[in-house]
């Protein structure tokens, strides 16, 4: 093991008990980011409940505080955002730190391109390696001036005082972050901003803009708005994050004897592709008490152990489960037969190269997996103990904690500190459900 990995937080995990009981995972990361952003730009006071107390979303809140927005925390998972209006942000000389959050940086690029002050966005080591041209190029076409490092990497140096024009843009890759950056810049632009998507992605920005009273037209794969209106403060109830629930959906599906209920999980159809994929694999997951909370569909999910078999993951599902592949890799590696994943090259530019990181880690546990440029071929089988490196990627760390429940020996998972970016308290909740995972000695 390298000295570097040894210095970083690590877990040991191993076979625990069947997952049982009822639990609620933390608030949705995508919705929490957007609630702070739109609340900050609104007229009036926005109360956000169910806010994700993760490092990513706190970093976004801190950026807006630095820009002059008062944000109160009356209790955990609650924020009161005192909106400053569309033109009330105040620039600061120092760089604004987005931490690990691609969503924070890309959406902020759209907001800040429309301000009359300059700003600089920086991030951690992982975010500093993630591609930003996908937002800076179309924003430049709108009139923004954003300088990057070589290769289109952060920091982003955003010039203020530019006059933005609306754009009609077809996204080359399905990305809610890029779509949202353009729509947010479009709030400040002359004329209409129209975004077309090759495959519909999560539409939280569109829904939330409508909830804040901004005129917007949208349907799956399409959004149109014009600049120059106002946002009016509103209450935002953040649903539990499907992507966090996903780890438990897989864990309870693969650990014999499990019967677990996940409460009030956000069921936006652009997020639930993993549910469809797991059901194709033979999973037993029932949606109970479907309802709407804060304008979003939610349901309780009851998941019981069921023997899974391999599948060809339908490519059409990929954008709807883009954050869930690490967990799906574990389901596939422990299922009967072969699973094939295609059309998922975006995984290579997430918090880590998720195809390579998962393949290396699974191989270390004895799995049979072949990487392809845009996916993987995984033969299900038995896993043994070993050592894996998360490469600072929260979802990889949590996925290997699930793998460990079925491994014949103990699994050491390195570089896990970033789990707090999206799922603070994961180990405690996982242990409560029956999993064996905790800090390494
Ligand atoms: C997100 C969009 C997705 C997703 C990320 C959150 C968002 O990224 O992977 O975790 O909140 O808009 P891409 O836009 O890069 O697909």
């Amino acid at each position: 093991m390298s000295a570097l990995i040894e210095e970083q937080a690590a877990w040991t995990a191993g076979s625990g008990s069947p997952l049982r009981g009822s639990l609620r995972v933390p608030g949705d990361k995508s919705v929490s980011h957007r609630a702070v952003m739109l609340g900050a730009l609104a007229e009036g006071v926005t109360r956000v409940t169910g806010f994700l107390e993760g490092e990513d979303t706190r970093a976004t809140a801190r950026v807006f505080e630095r820009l002059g927005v008062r944000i109160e925390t009356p209790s955990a998972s609650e924020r009161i955002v005192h909106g400053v209006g569309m033109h009330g942000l105040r620039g600061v000389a120092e760089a604004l730190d987005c931490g690990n959050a691609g969503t924070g940086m890309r959406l902020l690029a759209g907001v800040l391109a429309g301000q009359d002050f300059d700003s600089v966005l920086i991030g951690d080591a992982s975010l500093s390696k993630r591609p930003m041209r996908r937002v800076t190029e179309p924003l430049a076409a709108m009139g923004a001036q954003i300088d990057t490092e070589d290769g289109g990497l952060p920091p982003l140096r955003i010039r203020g005082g530019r006059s933005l024009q609306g754009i009609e843009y077809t996204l080359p890759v399905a990305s809610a972050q890029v779509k949202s950056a353009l729509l947010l810049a479009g709030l400040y632009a002359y004329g209409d901003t129209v975004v077309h998507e090759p495959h519909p992605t999560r539409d939280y920005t569109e829904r939330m803009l409508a909830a804040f009273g901004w005129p917007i037209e949208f349907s799956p794969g399409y959004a149109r708005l014009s600049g120059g209106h106002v946002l009016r403060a509103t209450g935002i109830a953040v649903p539990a994050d499907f992507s966090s629930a996903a780890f438990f959906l897989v864990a309870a599906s693969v650990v014999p004897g499990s019967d677990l209920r996940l409460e009030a999980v956000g069921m936006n159809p652009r997020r639930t592709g993993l549910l469809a994929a797991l059901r194709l694999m033979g999973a037993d997951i029932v949606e109970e008490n479907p309802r709407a909370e804060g304008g979003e569909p939610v349901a309780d999910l009851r998941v019981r152990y069921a023997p899974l078999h391999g599948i060809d993951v339908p490519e059409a599902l990929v954008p709807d489960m883009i954050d869930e592949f690490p967990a799906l890799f574990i389901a596939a590696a422990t299922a009967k037969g072969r699973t094939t994943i295609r059309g998922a090259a975006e995984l290579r530019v997430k918090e880590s190269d998720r195809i390579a990181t998962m393949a290396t880690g699974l191989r270390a546990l004895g799995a049979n997996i072949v990487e392809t440029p845009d996916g993987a071929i995984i033969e299900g089988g038995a896993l043994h103990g070993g050592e894996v490196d998360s490469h600072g990627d929260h979802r990889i760390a949590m996925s290997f904690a699930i793998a460990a429940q079925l491994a014949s020996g103990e699994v050491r998972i390195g570089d896990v500190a970033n789990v707090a970016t999206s799922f603070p308290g994961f180990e405690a909740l996982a242990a409560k459900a029956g999993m064996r995972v905790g800090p390494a000695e």
Side-chain angles (χ1 to χ4, degrees):
M1 192 197 322
S2 78
L4 188 64
I5 296 174
E6 201 141 43
E7 280 167 20
Q8 292 159 340
W11 289 335
T12 47
S15 131
S17 325
L19 285 88
R20 298 219 161 234
S22 190
L23 53 89
R24 183 175 176 134
V25 300
D28 189 276
K29 181 154 72 74
S30 295
V31 176
S32 296
H33 278 297
R34 288 160 171 82
V36 166
M37 291 183 187
L38 297 193
L41 298 176
E43 314 264 329
V45 177
T46 291
R47 178 161 176 260
V48 186
T49 53
F51 181 77
L52 170 64
E53 295 289 356
E55 296 301 330
D56 277 13
T57 43
R58 286 177 170 180
T60 291
R62 267 196 305 274
V63 166
F64 281 95
E65 286 175 326
R66 299 282 305 287
L67 296 172
V69 180
R70 188 152 74 88
I71 302 179
E72 295 174 78
T73 305
S75 65
S77 308
E78 192 178 352
R79 291 293 184 280
I80 308 285
V81 185
H82 295 262
V84 295
M86 292 302 293
H87 299 283
L89 298 179
R90 296 286 162 258
V92 285
E94 309 84 60
L96 301 164
D97 191 352
C98 301
N100 189 245
T103 306
M105 184 173 279
R106 293 189 177 124
L107 271 59
L108 273 163
V111 171
L112 295 174
Q115 306 302 317
D116 59 7
F117 52 83
D118 296 350
S119 28
V120 180
L121 294 175
I122 58 171
D124 72 1
S126 152
L127 183 52
S128 300
K129 285 190 261 175
R130 297 185 64 188
M132 293 296 149
R133 276 200 190 120
R134 53 182 59 199
V135 285
T136 58
E137 283 182 357
L139 288 173
M142 295 177 77
Q145 192 187 328
I146 306 180
D147 294 329
T148 64
E149 294 298 296
D150 288 349
L153 300 179
L156 300 183
R157 293 188 171 74
I158 303 169
R159 188 60 62 82
R162 309 277 303 179
S163 142
L164 302 184
Q165 287 294 330
I167 190 177
E168 176 149 13
Y169 190 71
T170 300
L171 299 183
V173 289
S175 165
Q177 294 177 359
V178 178
K179 169 179 66 176
S180 301
L182 301 185
L183 293 176
L184 292 171
L187 306 182
Y188 291 93
Y190 291 100
D192 285 6
T193 295
V194 186
V195 184
H196 304 277
E197 302 180 279
H199 184 287
T201 64
R202 64 193 74 190
D203 56 1
Y204 299 121
T205 304
E206 297 92 307
R207 285 169 181 244
M208 213 184 280
L209 282 168
F212 277 83
W214 196 281
I216 178 166
E217 226 179 85
F218 63 99
S219 56
Y222 168 82
R224 173 191 290 265
L225 55 70
S226 59
H229 306 280
V230 289
L231 295 167
R232 300 209 183 283
T234 183
I236 299 288
V238 182
D241 199 323
F242 183 90
S243 295
S244 296
F247 302 106
F248 291 102
L249 293 180
V250 171
S253 293
V254 301
V255 175
S258 297
D259 183 353
L260 186 69
R261 182 176 279 101
L262 297 158
E263 297 158 15
V265 180
M267 296 294 287
N268 183 303
R270 299 279 73 84
R271 297 293 299 285
T272 49
L274 178 78
L275 198 56
L278 286 175
R279 283 180 173 151
L280 289 174
M281 297 176 83
D284 176 0
I285 303 172
V286 179
E287 288 164 54
E288 296 178 338
N289 193 15
R291 57 208 184 267
E293 275 181 16
E296 283 289 328
V298 301
D300 304 324
L301 298 179
R302 181 171 181 192
V303 48
R304 276 171 282 198
Y305 166 76
L308 302 187
H309 55 81
I311 57 165
D312 281 348
V313 179
E315 268 190 66
L317 285 180
V318 168
D320 295 346
M321 56 181 292
I322 194 64
D323 292 332
E324 279 58 79
F325 278 95
L328 180 89
F329 272 56
I330 304 302
T334 56
K336 187 165 186 294
R338 171 181 297 183
T339 294
T340 309
I341 298 162
R342 290 187 202 85
E346 273 295 296
L347 296 178
R348 295 206 179 269
V349 291
K350 292 294 178 188
E351 285 83 331
S352 70
D353 174 342
R354 286 187 171 157
I355 297 175
T357 317
M358 287 306 299
T360 308
L362 277 171
R363 262 186 231 117
L365 303 183
N368 179 349
I369 169 167
V370 176
E371 270 186 59
T372 61
D374 65 344
I377 301 162
I378 304 166
E379 302 288 347
L383 300 178
H384 55 64
E387 199 171 306
V388 297
D389 184 348
S390 311
H391 288 276
D393 185 329
H394 52 138
R395 301 202 198 284
I396 303 274
M398 292 184 274
S399 297
F400 280 112
I402 301 165
Q405 306 310 305
L406 291 187
S408 57
E410 193 157 85
V411 178
R412 182 185 168 95
I413 308 165
D415 202 357
V416 301
N418 274 341
V419 167
T421 60
S422 71
F423 201 152
F426 169 77
E427 300 127 273
L429 215 52
K432 186 178 158 212
M435 286 169 62
R436 186 156 78 77
V437 53
E441 303 287 285

